[in-house]
């Protein structure tokens, strides 16, 4: 099963993959690392299948609006509260 990134995120995804390729062992195949939090950021490793869900794509759109393609942590940064992110990923995991 594949997933489709919005065309505006493809260059960003390629850039992130290049940055993380030297440290690929830290993220299992089929997963992506994201940084979550509004002030203090925490790193989460999530399945790439989550990127296909509408609710997660809305978070990616917020990230693009807030950070553009310059993410302060060097990886994909999601501007939402940690509790909200955990709630979302829990719902995605159970579906």
């Amino acid at each position: 099963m594949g997933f489709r990134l919005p065309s505006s995120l493809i260059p960003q995804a390629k850039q992130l993959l290049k940055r993380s390729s030297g440290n690929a062992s830290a993220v299992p195949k089929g997963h992506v690392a994201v940084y979550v939090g509004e002030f203090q950021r925490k790193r989460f490793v999530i399945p790439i299948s989550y990127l296909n869900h509408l609710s997660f794509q809305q978070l990616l759109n917020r990230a693009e609006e807030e950070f553009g393609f310059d993410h302060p942590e060097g990886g994909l940064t999601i501007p939402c509260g940690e509790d909200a992110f955990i709630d979302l990923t829990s719902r995605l995991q159970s579906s």
Side-chain angles (χ1 to χ4, degrees):
M1 180 175 136
F3 67 96
R4 183 178 291 204
L5 284 174
S7 60
S8 63
L9 293 177
I10 291 174
Q12 177 185 10
K14 287 181 181 179
Q15 185 179 20
L16 289 173
L17 288 173
K18 285 180 186 176
R19 280 190 206 159
S20 64
S21 63
N23 193 15
S25 64
V27 179
K29 186 174 182 176
H31 291 73
V32 64
V34 296
Y35 294 88
V36 177
E38 295 170 335
F39 303 107
Q40 185 174 355
R41 298 202 168 71
K42 184 173 179 182
R43 184 176 187 255
F44 290 87
V45 177
I46 60 168
I48 59 172
S49 62
Y50 288 6
L51 301 175
N52 211 25
H53 293 273
L54 178 61
S55 51
F56 203 87
Q57 288 178 1
Q58 291 169 343
L59 283 179
L60 292 175
N61 287 334
R62 282 184 51 201
E64 181 183 14
E65 289 172 9
E66 185 162 330
F67 299 113
F69 297 112
D70 182 30
H71 291 265
E73 301 292 333
L76 182 59
T77 305
I78 309 273
C80 77
E82 189 178 324
D83 291 337
F85 184 80
I86 291 170
D87 180 58
L88 171 64
T89 54
S90 296
R91 285 186 279 130
L92 294 177
Q93 185 177 11
S94 65
S95 64

